[in-house]
Amino acid sequence: MIVTVVWLVLLSGGFAWELYCHLRPGRWASLATVSSWLWQRRAGRVFLVAVWAFVGWHFFSRYTAPR
Amino acid sequence: MTPKPSKAARLLGGLPTRRFTALALISVAYAWYATGLRPFTDSAYEAVFVAAAILLVFGLLSPAGRRTPRGPLALRAVAPWVALVAVAACLEAAGLALGGRSPVVPTLSTVVDHALRWHASRFVLFLGWLEVGTRPLSGPWRRMSQRPSSPGPQQTGPQL
């Protein structure tokens, strides 16, 4: 249960940090900035698409709904 | 003449309204179809593969990033993300070491599985996944469709 809460804190913290980076740009890089930086290179694009596809494959093709 | 993007379309990637509406409807229909498939089936794998293949092709043909930071990214600027990913990786490794289905130390997949129980929640998450994936493409293709106008100012990324 505690670790589940830690996961939820991490996920919500990530969303909050991304939002903060968008609202106060300059000092910190948002995930959008990092992905745009990677997107400039062909290898970076393939990497980003691979990560994105893995997330989709793992969560939407291989999920196990709890009973 | 290029149709002027609506405020909603500008917020959601800058595509002209008609094209944005068509893409949105296709995405919604596809997300509903894909999230209605049974997991671990060929059709469920194909639904994700088709989306990934389309994005890969458009990504490789795409001219540039949506926001293109100049120069290298400073490690200090991405330090919070590195820390967050490191903590997540440690938790995931601990969960996998305990068999992946431990109730004490669940993996991220086990936690997310609770949100994937219902078709509606899967549908919303799938739409979010599609939006995240297609977001980097919206800017470059919009700029290509607006040529030969001069390129806009590039956003600079965090520097050292």
Side-chain angles (χ1 to χ4, degrees):
Chain A
M1 182 64 186
I2 294 172
V3 178
T4 302
V5 173
V6 173
W7 274 122
L8 295 177
V9 167
L10 282 177
L11 288 173
S12 51
F15 279 116
W17 186 247
E18 177 73 5
L19 193 63
Y20 176 80
C21 292
H22 277 283
L23 293 175
R24 296 182 178 245
R27 185 175 179 189
W28 306 105
S30 65
L31 270 188
T33 306
V34 175
S35 59
S36 296
W37 183 75
L38 284 169
W39 197 260
Q40 293 175 81
R41 298 145 182 85
R42 181 158 289 204
R45 294 180 196 189
V46 173
F47 171 76
L48 286 174
V49 173
V51 169
W52 178 79
F54 174 78
V55 169
W57 173 78
H58 191 61
F59 288 129
F60 300 114
S61 300
R62 297 177 59 81
Y63 67 93
T64 306
R67 298 178 182 206
Chain B
M1 181 178 168
T2 308
K4 189 179 179 183
S6 69
K7 189 177 179 183
R10 283 199 303 273
L11 284 171
L12 292 166
L15 290 170
T17 307
R18 201 175 302 169
R19 203 178 307 169
F20 169 77
T21 306
L23 283 174
L25 286 176
I26 291 170
S27 301
V28 166
Y30 191 75
W32 187 258
Y33 159 75
T35 52
L37 299 169
R38 288 175 65 85
F40 297 98
T41 58
D42 289 345
S43 48
Y45 291 128
E46 285 161 10
V48 171
F49 175 79
V50 166
I54 290 172
L55 182 67
L56 186 62
V57 168
F58 277 85
L60 292 177
L61 295 174
S62 167
R66 185 166 176 269
R67 300 183 194 92
T68 312
R70 288 174 185 160
L73 277 177
L75 183 61
R76 189 172 56 84
V78 295
W81 290 115
V82 172
L84 194 139
V85 169
V87 172
C90 289
L91 274 180
E92 186 74 6
L96 290 174
L98 291 169
R101 289 278 156 194
S102 164
V104 181
V105 186
T107 60
L108 179 61
S109 313
T110 309
V111 174
V112 173
D113 277 349
H114 289 278
L116 297 172
R117 183 185 298 192
W118 305 280
H119 190 184
S121 56
R122 286 198 302 276
F123 168 70
V124 170
L125 290 171
F126 195 94
L127 271 182
W129 175 72
L130 282 180
E131 209 285 322
V132 167
T134 52
R135 185 149 276 264
L137 295 176
S138 58
W141 290 102
R142 180 193 55 192
R143 283 200 294 274
M144 279 187 81
S145 68
Q146 288 175 345
R147 281 177 183 176
S149 61
S150 60
Q154 290 186 320
Q155 179 181 328
T156 54
Q159 301 292 317
L160 272 171

